[in-house]
């Protein structure tokens, strides 16, 4: 299903490279004249980003060297890498380490020679095939000169290329507009294989056609050689005498389309992906409808960490678009679906960590449910909780760094949002832990606690957006009362020692501390004017009147501790609203 959805996305885009081609970043070009003389190096980078050229698709490599068609890294094109040049030995004072480094560099130099040899063979084969082409003849002449590398190294831009010996380079004939591998009338030399067992029914298209033996490499983060579909030989994954890709027959056309589509979704400038830790999430709609495009942009705004002057601006725009989809303002059909694919690198394979396919309208309703669950009052009418994933993770992580979030927490939160599941317990527990450590209940933390508790299956009394006078949960009431006592001290003495010293104990074991802080509050009230004293006393009595006749709870479980903090937050926000709106 994943491969079919990616296959369809290729057709949906309409502007992706055709079969056998791909967009590849080439950082430098070696310019030759028509006689094969080296002219200059051209730097094709802008703002440290290489220009993309449409070239023949990259080959699949294992242990044997195989060159790409007239483009590759300097190891293939020039036979060099960093190992061919001196390095600073002073960094390795230990003689054994120096010896190991030298042995390693010698192995790399031998490898460079082999790689370069295959590239030279490719040029020679092309010259035999196209002896009358001026461009191939020029390239062949260039390599026939034994001093070709020295001429390249004498160029003014050589120091810059030398710093980037892992980047891809290619050739341009002076006066041409297309680089050599991009010329449409110049075809790669392919080895024909007519074996019958390479023909079969494709699992994606259902058509009988030539099958691929190995699928394309999909760069994923730092893993540059990962594959979405692969089989380890003789390790229990192959069967019925099949080897490699023939265990899951995929036609060349289908493999090209799904791999090209996935590369586009994972590209640097893609607005159809977001990264959480080591997990990559890509998402796309099944059609080019207005609703589908709007949903894609909304998910990027919600999870893609786009920069904005107002942290909530993009999220609010996403909410409006999703509401339009859900309400039918943006037209959708029953065939409109939305896909989300979670990927993680693992050696030479890609792990599929998450997959979701839902009707577009249903998907929009799940995201809107997240908005509703996270909605909470703020004393500042313009402020709303940051409902984006990074903001939520920052709120529950040490130092406010989303990278410090509990392992697997981001994945779990994503699944809760996309599928309407209860939020993970680790999100709730981490939020409680950070509140206790910092004694700070931000709007996002309060929203997380409310959202988690309201999605619990056996929670009959839901927490409301703002202060709920009808909520008689003992944890919620204790939190409200603690907020009143904290506010009285702040009004009277402009300090918060009650909060600093007693909040953690009050939220876990109310009976142990409330007698003490109520007594302290009575002394603080003496410093208030009569009007304020009466105002706060009314609120205190209203809350205490709802406390159980058995007294304050001896212990609050973790869920009620969460309600304590939400009650504290709600009561404080009520104080910040205009006085005419306060409940007397």
């Amino acid at each position: 299903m994943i491969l079919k959805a990616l296959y369809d996305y290729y057709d949906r885009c309409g502007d992706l490279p055709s079969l056998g081609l791909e967009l590849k970043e080439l950082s430098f070009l070696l310019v030759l004249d028509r006689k094969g003389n080296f002219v200059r190096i051209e730097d094709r980078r802008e703002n440290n980003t290489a220009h993309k050229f449409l070239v023949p698709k990259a080959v699949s490599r294992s242990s044997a060297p195989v060159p790409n068609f007239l483009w590759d890294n300097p190891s293939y094109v020039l036979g060099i890498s960093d190992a061919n040049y001196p390095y600073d030995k002073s960094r390795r004072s230990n003689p054994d380490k120096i010896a190991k480094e030298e042995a390693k560099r010698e192995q790399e130099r031998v490898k460079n020679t082999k790689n370069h040899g295959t590239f030279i063979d490719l040029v020679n084969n092309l010259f035999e095939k196209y002896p009358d082409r001026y461009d191939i003849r020029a390239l062949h002449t260039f390599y026939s000169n034994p001093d070709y590398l020295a001429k390249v190294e004498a160029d003014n831009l050589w120091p810059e290329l030398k710093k980037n010996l892992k980047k891809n380079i290619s050739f341009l004939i002076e006066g041409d507009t297309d680089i050599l591998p991009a010329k449409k009338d110049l075809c790669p030399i392919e080895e024909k294989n007519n074996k019958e067992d390479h023909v079969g029914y494709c699992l994606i298209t259902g058509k009988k056609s030539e099958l691929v033996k190995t699928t394309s490499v999909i760069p994923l983060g730092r893993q540059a050689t990962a594959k979405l579909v692969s089989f380890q030989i003789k390790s229990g994954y192959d069967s019925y005498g099949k080897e490699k890709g023939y265990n899951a027959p995929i036609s060349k056309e289908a493999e090209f389309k799904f791999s090209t589509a996935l590369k586009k979704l994972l590209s640097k400038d893609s607005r159809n992906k977001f990264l959480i830790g080591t997990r990559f999430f890509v998402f796309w709609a099944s059609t080019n409808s207005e609703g589908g495009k709007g949903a894609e942009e909304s998910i990027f705004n919600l999870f893609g960490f786009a920069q904005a002057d107002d942290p909530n601006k993009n999220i609010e725009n996403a909410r409006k678009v999703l509401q339009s989809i859900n309400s039918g303002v943006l037209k959708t059909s029953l065939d409109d679906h939305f896909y989300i694919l979670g990927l993680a690198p693992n050696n030479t394979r890609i792990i599929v960590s998450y997959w979701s396919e839902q009707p577009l309208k249903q998907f929009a309703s799940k995201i809107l449910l997240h908005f509703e669950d996270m909605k909470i009052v703020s004393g500042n009418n313009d402020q709303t909780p940051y409902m984006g994933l990074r903001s939520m993770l920052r709120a529950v992580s040490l130092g406010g760094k989303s990278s410090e979030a509990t392992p697997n927490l981001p994945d779990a939160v994503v699944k809760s949002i996309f599928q309407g599941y209860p939020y993970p317990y680790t999100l709730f527990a981490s939020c409680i832990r950070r509140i206790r450590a910092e004694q700070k209940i931000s709007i996002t933390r309060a929203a997380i606690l409310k959202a988690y508790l309201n999605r619990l299956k056996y929670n009959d009394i839901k927490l409301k957006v703002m202060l709920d006078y009808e909520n008689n949960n003992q944890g919620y009431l204790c939190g409200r009362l603690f907020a009143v006592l904290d506010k009285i001290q702040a009004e009277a003495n402009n300090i918060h020692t009650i909060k600093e010293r007693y909040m953690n104990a009050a939220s876990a074991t109310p009976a142990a501390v409330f007698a003490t802080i109520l007594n302290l509050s009575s002394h603080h009230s003496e410093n208030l004017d009569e009007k304020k004293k009466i105002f706060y006393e009314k609120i205190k009595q209203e809350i205490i009147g709802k406390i159980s006749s058995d007294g304050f709870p001896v212990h609050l479980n973790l869920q009620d501790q969460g309600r304590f903090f939400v009650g504290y937050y709600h009561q404080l926000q009520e104080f910040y609203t205009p006085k005419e709106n306060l409940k007397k």
Side-chain angles (χ1 to χ4, degrees), residues 318-341:
R319 185 186 65 81
K320 291 178 180 178
V321 171
L322 294 167
Q323 277 185 333
S324 298
I325 294 172
N326 193 51
S327 63
V329 174
L330 286 178
K331 300 297 182 183
T332 61
S333 71
L334 295 177
D335 294 330
D336 287 345
H337 281 68
F338 201 84
Y339 307 103
I340 302 170
L341 175 62

Side-chain angles (χ1 to χ4, degrees), residues 298-299 301-305 311-320 367-376 383-393 395 413-414 417-418 423 427 443-445 447-448 450-451:
S298 297
I299 297 305
N301 287 337
L302 192 57
F303 297 99
F305 312 146
N312 272 319
K313 183 177 180 180
N314 286 344
I315 294 176
E316 180 60 22
N317 290 339
R319 185 186 65 81
K320 291 178 180 178
I367 305 298
L368 289 173
L369 179 62
H370 168 68
F371 279 92
E372 185 62 30
D373 286 337
M374 287 287 289
K375 188 177 181 181
I376 198 164
Q383 187 181 11
T384 57
Y386 298 159
M387 290 173 276
L389 184 59
R390 174 174 284 183
S391 300
M392 293 175 67
L393 295 177
V413 175
V414 166
I417 295 173
F418 289 159
Y423 293 97
L427 177 70
I443 185 172
T444 307
R445 286 174 178 170
I448 289 171
K450 168 183 171 286

Side-chain angles (χ1 to χ4, degrees), residues 5 114 143 168 176 266 289 316 371 397 430 467 523:
K114 292 180 180 179
Y143 278 119
N168 292 320
D176 287 357
L266 288 167
S289 66
E316 180 60 22
F371 279 92
S397 302
S430 296
L467 182 62
H523 295 294

Side-chain angles (χ1 to χ4, degrees), residues 38 141-154:
F38 174 75
T141 302
F142 168 75
Y143 278 119
S144 298
N145 186 338
D147 297 327
Y148 66 87
L149 181 57
K151 292 182 179 296
V152 174
E153 290 178 330

Side-chain angles (χ1 to χ4, degrees), residues 8 18 30 54 60 62 106 168 213 283 289 346 375 382 401 411 413 426 462 469 525 543:
D8 292 339
S18 56
L30 304 182
L54 190 63
S60 294
S62 53
E106 178 59 28
N168 292 320
K213 188 173 183 179
F283 50 88
S289 66
N346 180 37
K375 188 177 181 181
D382 296 330
K401 298 178 181 178
D411 280 359
V413 175
T426 46
K462 304 294 183 183
Y469 290 94
S525 297
I543 298 172

